[in-house]
Amino acid sequence: MTKIGKLPRLKSMFLRSIYSCVFFCSFIFSFLFCAPDFSSSQNKEQSLQKTLGAFLLADGWDVLEETKSKIGALPARSPGSESDTEATVNLGRKIFSDRNLSLNQIQSCTTCHILDGRQAGTDGQSVSRGTFGQIGRRNAPSILNVGYLKVLFWDGRKSSLEEQAVVPFLDPLEMALPSEAELLNRLNADSQYADLFKAAFPGSPSVSIASLRIALSAFQRTLITPSRFDDFANGNINALNYYEKRGLRTFLNLGCTNCHEGYMLGGSQFKKLDTVYSYNPNDQGRYEFTGKDEDKKFFRVPSLRNVTLTAPYFHDGSVRNLEAAIARMNHYEAPREISASEITEMISFLKSLSDKNREN
């Protein structure tokens, strides 16, 4: 960046520093000269603590260290991307958007995981429809930042992108190809793929399912969405505004990080979703994969990254707005009632988790 390009940023940082100093001094002035007469030194000390606490919340210092320890910032690269090349990513991108790889050639991976514009890797439907209009069973989760996840699907039946890669092509409720052999036939029928596979895998240039798995995974590992929250977690105290910091404080105080943990804010645990609220009664969750009775109604806790862009919510897509989703989870998990203003502030915080190029 040139010196000229740095000037506006330096000016902004300087002004914010001045604002923080003025804000703090105004609190101290109010306390020293405008506060009522206190009956005891203990009351005066308590009032000063409240004054300092209000300043710290406004400036974010009170939540920054806890944020670093309980959540953290998104790493710059997805695990496993070290060996990915531009050629493998380009091949994976073409496969991901190729409608010819569905049985009637009208659907691709991007049909359910839309990436254009401000779309956040979902289709906005409660449950997706397959290539013949088949109604799916579960909500299509966002694939943004999917390279950081260690378990995939709502029931966690796959543990890597490579394992998951072929599933949508063969699922009768999705792209509905009858076999891997037919998938290979479709790839070989497109003359462009021969050159793309050769460029991506010069040591083994033949079109193969193994290479397809690697290429699709390489492309998906590029779908990284750093947010303003990450700037905050990395130490930029001004990356979040006052209400976003208040929402983050509520999020931490309610213990939301017990389930939505780590820099992905979820995505690795399984929790039972069997409450007073109604969900698809025919979906037994992780039990359908493991066959264990203790896994009935257990579903993967979703990541909250880009959550304000990915309605509807829950595994069956039964909740259309985030206010209701937060109220449900608070009723289910939290130790106390949550007010409407706290929900509003928490949504402000959750918006800060959105990709900077897709923000609400």
Side-chain angles (χ1 to χ4, degrees):
M1 184 183 293
T2 65
K3 292 183 178 180
I4 294 177
K6 290 181 179 178
L7 289 177
R9 183 179 178 185
L10 292 172
K11 181 179 179 181
S12 176
M13 292 174 63
F14 175 75
L15 290 175
R16 285 174 176 172
S17 298
I18 293 296
Y19 168 78
S20 295
C21 291
V22 172
F23 190 73
F24 177 70
C25 291
S26 67
F27 268 121
I28 298 300
F29 179 86
S30 297
F31 173 77
L32 293 176
F33 299 102
C34 302
D37 186 26
F38 295 98
S39 58
S40 69
S41 59
Q42 182 179 5
N43 287 340
K44 179 175 287 190
E45 181 179 352
Q46 290 175 349
S47 180
L48 179 57
Q49 289 175 351
K50 289 180 180 179
T51 299
L52 292 172
F55 166 73
L56 292 174
L57 175 61
D59 214 30
W61 295 106
D62 77 313
V63 292
L64 179 56
E65 292 307 314
E66 190 173 354
T67 295
K68 288 181 177 180
S69 64
K70 290 187 176 180
I71 303 175
L74 193 71
R77 299 186 65 177
S78 296
S81 63
E82 298 81 12
S83 59
D84 294 338
T85 65
E86 183 178 358
T88 56
V89 170
N90 288 338
L91 173 57
R93 182 182 294 108
K94 176 173 170 57
I95 293 171
F96 194 83
S97 60
D98 191 346
R99 294 184 178 184
N100 291 322
L101 302 182
S102 63
L103 187 56
N104 62 355
Q105 301 178 316
I106 66 169
Q107 189 178 49
S108 70
C109 300
T110 57
T111 304
C112 298
H113 300 289
I114 306 171
L115 298 171
D116 296 337
R118 293 179 65 252
Q119 297 295 322
T122 64
D123 60 3
Q125 304 298 313
S126 293
V127 293
S128 299
R129 291 182 176 269
T131 192
F132 291 102
Q134 316 94 300
I135 298 176
R137 298 186 64 239
R138 292 172 181 160
N139 178 257
S142 172
I143 60 164
L144 299 181
N145 305 301
V146 70
Y148 297 98
L149 295 176
K150 297 180 180 179
V151 290
L152 302 169
F153 295 107
W154 285 102
D155 56 14
R157 64 186 184 272
K158 299 296 181 183
S159 58
S160 72
L161 290 173
E162 285 78 6
E163 287 184 12
Q164 176 273 340
V166 178
V167 173
F169 298 107
L170 307 183
D171 191 321
L173 296 180
E174 296 187 49
M175 298 167 75
L177 291 180
S179 64
E180 290 186 1
E182 178 58 23
L183 177 55
L184 285 174
N185 289 337
R186 300 290 179 103
L187 292 168
N188 282 309
D190 185 337
S191 60
Q192 295 182 52
Y193 278 118
D195 290 337
L196 288 170
F197 272 87
K198 183 177 180 180
F201 305 100
S204 53
S206 298
V207 175
S208 69
I209 295 298
S211 294
L212 175 146
R213 292 179 184 274
I214 295 171
L216 265 178
S217 301
F219 168 65
Q220 291 179 83
R221 280 191 284 265
T222 67
L223 303 176
I224 300 172
T225 62
S227 65
R228 290 187 295 108
F229 170 79
D230 294 304
D231 294 338
F232 178 77
N234 280 322
N236 181 356
I237 205 72
N238 297 309
L240 302 185
N241 65 37
Y242 175 73
Y243 294 102
E244 291 165 344
K245 292 168 188 172
R246 284 181 62 94
L248 173 56
R249 166 49 61 206
T250 300
F251 184 84
L252 293 168
N253 286 349
L254 288 176
C256 299
T257 54
N258 292 334
C259 298
H260 295 284
E261 86 290 12
Y263 57 74
M264 282 294 286
L265 292 104
S268 62
Q269 296 187 46
F270 296 91
K271 294 292 181 178
K272 191 173 186 179
L273 198 61
D274 185 16
T275 72
V276 296
Y277 299 105
S278 297
Y279 301 97
N280 179 2
N282 298 317
D283 193 340
Q284 296 298 312
R286 188 160 170 75
Y287 167 80
E288 297 180 9
F289 164 55
T290 66
K292 298 178 180 179
D293 287 339
E294 59 267 30
D295 286 336
K296 286 184 177 179
K297 298 294 183 180
F298 273 75
F299 297 89
R300 189 191 66 171
V301 176
S303 166
L304 294 180
R305 287 189 171 272
N306 297 293
V307 67
T308 58
L309 303 174
T310 57
Y313 303 106
F314 299 106
H315 61 281
D316 60 352
S318 58
V319 177
R320 301 298 305 184
N321 65 78
L322 201 51
E323 291 86 352
I326 292 172
R328 284 194 182 196
M329 282 295 93
N330 182 73
H331 179 272
Y332 187 45
E333 294 284 356
R336 67 168 176 81
E337 293 295 320
I338 187 171
S339 67
S341 61
E342 286 177 316
I343 290 178
T344 298
E345 289 167 353
M346 193 178 292
I347 291 175
S348 294
F349 154 62
L350 293 175
K351 287 182 177 180
S352 76
L353 299 173
S354 296
D355 177 25
K356 293 178 184 179
N357 296 318
R358 293 179 170 91
E359 283 190 296
N360 306 67

